[in-house]
Each structure stands twice: as structure tokens, then as C-alpha cells.
Amino acid sequence: MREDRLERVRGRLSELGIDLLVLPPGEDFFYLAGFSPMRDERACFMLVSSERIALLVPRLNADQVARHLDVPVFTYDDAEGPAGALRDALRVVPQAVVAVGDDLRADHLLLLQEELPGTRFVVASTVLAPLRMRKDPDELDALRRSAATADAGVLGAVQACWPGATERDVATRAAQAIHRAGAALFTLVASGPHSAFPHHETTDRALQRGEPVLLDVGARVDGYCSDITRMVFLGEPTARYREIHGVVEEAVRAAHGAIRPGVPIAEVDRAARRVIAQAGYADRFVHRTGHGLGLSPHEPPSVTHTNLLPLEEGMVFTVEPGIYLPGEFGVRLEEVVVVHAHGPEILSRLPRDPIVVP
């Protein structure tokens, strides 16, 4: 158990008047325990109160859990089901107000509610999100390693960008490069008019000379995620493309210039959006400027013009403005940044210029 994080969580429980935190396997579980059991249909919970901690674990996972955590474990067999073991576990913790993992399965929440009639339930993000937003040194080291593998994925994808190759060919090459770097991944490859769709799903469309290719690549190293977007152009970039790319690059720089402790997060979004609006493309920047990154690929803080939360040292999030022109193309440039006293640290080592493939 990561005792320093556990103590901070318990401080938040006391501050918020919450008696019990119930976490299923996943990122929040990993944040506290340094590992997470496999997640399936079986109920598996970490139960944390101000003084006690216990685990509800299906028997087939009990030996694995015992190797990682020295806490009371309540187990059950598949045939008997979890209700009895959960009832026993709940006897050792208070439960008037219970915070449950935001991604807890509905049937597992119903099981808790059946065992705890009259209890008030709230979401666990009220406890954990403010803590997870500020990364400690170990987390930052993992994020830097993860960013390096995403860079490798982009470079691998560029090597597959030639006329006639399909989006899927490029995504496969990126995947191979990231796997060679020792990471799990996702890849989004959007060519030509597909790049105007912010969440395009990679297809078998063939790349063509005279058009851009958007590469959005992410990896996971030691549980921590990376995320990067770069643009490739097959042949000499057109004047129209260079104009749009230049505006997006200026928006990235403006957002970076707004990042320092104490500044409201909204100012980062506004800085990027102002540049794009002044260029006449306000209605073509259709998403937020960025999102938090850590154990989850998307986590707080959300970088929008309505988020007045002040930036703090140790926060990590993406800066990814974009301009999307339906029927033509889209341009998005994405960096992961860490907030320091002196400003942002950019985790990628790759330039943001168009990567031109002759």
C-alpha cells in the first residue's frame, strides 16, 4: 500500500465527511495499492475508512492480492457469491456516507445498496480527483517514460506514410514501434478528409499524395499514459495547409504561455481559442483545449473556458487545439505538459512542424 497516498485520501475523507471509500479494480485502486486485480464480473472492492482498510476479493484472486497487500481480505467462492463476504467486510468499517468508484459496475453498486440501506452514496472522484491531479515525482518519471514510447510510435508511423498505404497500415507500424519500446498503446490515423473528424476511427482508406495524415498515438508505461498528435504531409504542403497548421501551432504556443501556478485553467483554453478565433476559425475548434493525463488517458483537470480551478505544480494535462474543415482536412497538434513554478515542461521530444514525406 502506498502509505503517503493513503494518508492523503484519509485526510480528504475526513474533510468531506465521508465514512467509507469503495474502489473497484482500476486506476484509483492502482493509485493506492500500486497494482490492480483483473477486472471482471466478480465483485472486488478496496474498502478504505479513516482508520481501517479491507478487501473484498473473489477466492481465485486471493493469493495474488496477498502478494501485494498486507490487509484484511474477505473472500468468496463463485458458487456462494459475494454477499456474505461483503457483509462481513462492512462490519469493520463505518458506512453512513459512502464514496464509490466512478466506474463501479451497476450490479455491484446495487449489491452495496442492498447491504447498506439508508446509506448516502457519492462518487469517489470527489475524494480522489484533487489528489490525482497533482503528480508526485515517481508519477512524473513514469509519464516521461510513457511519452518517450509515444514519440517512438509517431516515428514508426511516419516510416509507413507513403501514397497507397492505408490508415490501418500506418496504425500497425505505430503499434509495432510502441510494442518494441515496451508499452501498450492506442493509435488513431486519419488521412485527408478523415482528419477533419476529431475522433476518427482508423480505416482501410489509402493515403494519397497532396494530403495530410493526422497521427494520434498513446502508450501506457508502468500504468501511466501518454498522448501525442502530430501531422504528416505527403508531398509538398499546400499554402492552405501551411496556413492552418501555422494557426494551430500559434494556438499551442499561446496556451503554453499561459501555464503557470495560480492561473485559472480557463485561461489556458482561452489563450488557445483566442488565436484560432482571430484567424477566423472559431467555429472549427470544436473541443476543449486539453484533458488531464495520468493513470487514466482522460482524467481531471478538464481544460475548458469554464474551469476556474487554479493551476498547481505537478498537474499534468494535454494541450491539443485543432482546426477541422469538413470535406478538406483537419489539423491538431498535441503536447502533454507538466506544471512547474517556471512554466510548462513538455514531455514529447518531437518537433511540431509538418512531417513532410516526399
Side-chain angles (χ1 to χ4, degrees):
M1 190 63 64
R2 290 168 167 166
E3 295 297 334
D4 55 337
R5 297 181 188 177
L6 179 60
E7 288 308 307
R8 291 198 294 271
V9 165
R10 284 173 162 160
R12 286 285 295 169
L13 292 175
S14 176
E15 177 186 338
L16 297 172
I18 294 172
D19 299 299
L20 179 64
L21 179 66
V22 179
L23 300 176
E27 286 89 358
D28 288 336
F29 196 115
F30 185 96
Y31 180 76
L32 286 179
F35 97 108
S36 181
M38 189 183 81
R39 186 169 192 160
D40 61 15
E41 74 281 3
R42 301 173 179 90
C44 181
F45 305 144
M46 180 190 297
L47 301 99
V48 180
S49 73
S50 60
E51 296 182 355
R52 298 176 182 271
I53 186 167
L55 294 175
L56 173 74
V57 178
R59 192 175 303 279
L60 79 167
N61 289 340
D63 290 341
Q64 177 201 28
V65 167
R67 291 179 59 189
H68 293 274
L69 298 174
D70 183 18
V71 300
V73 177
F74 297 82
T75 64
Y76 64 92
D77 291 321
D78 287 343
E80 65 186 356
L86 176 60
R87 198 171 301 125
D88 292 339
L90 289 172
R91 289 195 182 104
V92 305
V93 290
Q95 52 209 227
V97 182
V98 175
V100 297
D102 295 34
D103 55 352
L104 188 69
R105 285 172 53 125
D107 56 341
H108 295 169
L109 176 58
L110 290 171
L111 175 65
L112 280 167
Q113 290 175 327
E114 184 175 341
E115 295 298 328
L116 299 173
T119 295
R120 183 165 70 91
F121 289 87
V122 299
V123 292
S125 56
T126 59
V127 178
L128 286 158
L131 303 179
R132 284 182 53 186
M133 275 195 291
R134 295 193 65 177
K135 273 55 177 183
D136 61 32
D138 288 343
E139 291 179 290
L140 293 178
D141 286 343
L143 285 161
R144 292 183 185 105
R145 292 194 300 274
S146 189
T149 62
D151 285 0
V154 169
L155 295 175
V158 169
Q159 294 174 4
C161 286
W162 59 77
T166 68
E167 294 174 351
R168 206 175 307 279
D169 292 334
V170 177
T172 298
R173 187 68 68 88
Q176 292 169 343
I178 290 178
H179 281 308
R180 283 196 298 271
L185 79 153
F186 73 86
T187 55
L188 183 160
V189 178
S191 61
H194 285 174
S195 60
F197 305 138
H199 280 173
H200 171 65
E201 294 185 4
T202 302
T203 71
D204 288 318
R205 180 184 186 274
L207 280 57
Q208 301 177 30
R209 187 168 298 281
E211 68 181 19
V213 182
L214 185 152
L215 305 175
D216 189 346
V217 173
R220 191 185 295 271
V221 173
D222 296 335
Y224 285 84
C225 300
S226 56
D227 202 354
I228 183 175
T229 305
R230 292 295 189 267
M231 300 298 303
V232 175
F233 202 95
L234 303 186
E236 181 60 29
T238 63
R240 170 75 160 160
Y241 177 82
R242 287 196 180 278
E243 174 207 351
I244 301 301
H245 191 111
V247 173
V248 176
E249 168 64 19
E250 187 180 349
V252 172
R253 291 177 180 270
H256 289 173
I259 295 172
R260 60 186 182 278
V263 171
I265 289 172
E267 290 304 315
V268 179
D269 180 88
R270 289 170 182 156
R273 208 165 292 280
R274 190 178 302 119
V275 170
I276 292 175
Q278 289 172 350
Y281 297 102
D283 62 338
R284 304 272 40 105
F285 182 10
V286 295
H287 53 72
R288 62 190 174 183
T289 291
H291 56 82
L293 188 81
L295 288 168
S296 300
H298 285 200
E299 63 182 44
S302 182
V303 186
T304 71
H305 70 280
T306 59
N307 190 345
L308 300 180
L309 185 72
L311 292 172
E312 299 181 45
E313 289 188 63
M315 285 183 172
V316 178
F317 53 88
T318 66
V319 171
E320 49 179 307
I323 295 175
Y324 307 94
L325 306 172
E328 292 186 70
F329 60 85
V331 176
R332 180 169 69 253
L333 299 171
E334 179 181 19
E335 300 284 19
V336 176
V337 300
V338 182
V339 180
H340 294 294
H342 57 78
E345 173 192 356
I346 299 171
L347 296 190
S348 172
R349 295 293 179 261
L350 299 182
R352 292 188 298 272
D353 299 331
I355 303 169
V356 177
V357 176

